[in-house]
Amino acid sequence: MMKEKNASSEDYFILLGFSNWPHLELVLFVVILMFYLITLIGNLFIIILSYLDSHLHTPMYFFLSNLSFLDLCYTTSSIPQLLVNLWGPEKNISYVGCMIQLYFVLALGTAECMLLVVMSYDRYAAVCRPLHYTVLMHPRFCHLLAVASWVGGFTTSALHSSFTSWVPLCGHCQVDHFFCEVPALLRLSCVDTRANELTLMVLSSIFVIIPLILILSSYGAIAHAVLRMQSTAGLQKVFGSCGAHLLVVSLFFIPVMCIYLQPPTRGSQDQGKFIALFYTVVTPSLNPLIYTLRNKDIKGAVKRLMGWEREM
């Protein structure tokens, strides 16, 4: 029988990842590496362009730069380890490395939930309160909202990571996932983890359901304001900026809800890996494309940076 034990800094875990499909590992390595490079290039492009072009020194692009930096950190917290595991036979991660990864994945994911709420409020203020927009979204207040998103994510993660690290583990050390996440680690425990699962459900509800309700409320008010608009140009501008944000929200929240708003079950584990792969690899790579595609502000900034606008 396996004995109950607490993990120590000398222990390690084996991230099983996609080892059940060895014939897919090379294909996954190539595809994930491509998406990771697209994520790095696309998000760095937004951050650098928003910094260099003074026309993009607005609340919308300030928050978008924060989102891009969050996506860079979020993917880097798990994807390099996944690529190493897919490339070679070794799939080990130290206990300390696993806990650090768990902490940053939770922190950055929670911070992104909160930042998406802030971005939806910015769009609400721009569309529904245009005359008061500069007062409502004062630069100091924007910085405060961004800091609150980051601090909220890292504080919440510290609490939840601590609860998870205190759970006694069985003798085996195989984590049936490609990164250290709470449901997979709870499956290693020999004790009753219902309290931890309840904590996960409560925190997930607070930082997933409530933000989603606030976002939908903001866009409900925006939709009401849009229906009263007479200007076609104004309608196109609203749909351009708000539509992109809504698409990003959908790509992030729907997979997260599928993973964290249901009790951990063994039968859905394989499906959960591919869902997690989508929101950790695909979504961060699509965000820059969604926000820059057909975005006149970004195109104008690129032209100014390259000097094309003066030549034309």
Side-chain angles (χ1 to χ4, degrees), residues 106-121:
L106 283 173
L108 296 167
T110 305
E112 183 152 345
C113 289
M114 299 174 70
L115 186 62
L116 288 172
V117 175
V118 171
M119 293 177 73
S120 70
Y121 174 73

Side-chain angles (χ1 to χ4, degrees), residues 79-111:
I79 299 308
Q81 178 71 49
L82 172 59
L83 291 172
V84 170
N85 292 348
L86 288 172
W87 180 255
E90 293 293 330
K91 302 182 184 298
N92 297 348
I93 183 172
S94 68
Y95 172 75
V96 173
C98 185
M99 290 299 106
I100 291 174
Q101 186 181 74
L102 174 69
Y103 174 72
F104 279 100
V105 167
L106 283 173
L108 296 167
T110 305

Side-chain angles (χ1 to χ4, degrees), residues 1-8 11-13 167-174 184-193 266:
M1 293 180 63
M2 291 180 292
K3 294 182 179 180
E4 180 182 312
K5 72 181 185 73
N6 286 317
S8 68
D11 292 322
Y12 66 91
F13 295 107
V167 174
L169 304 178
C170 294
H172 66 89
C173 56
Q174 295 183 339
L185 291 174
L186 292 181
R187 293 188 185 95
L188 302 182
S189 177
C190 296
V191 300
D192 188 354
T193 59
R266 297 183 183 277

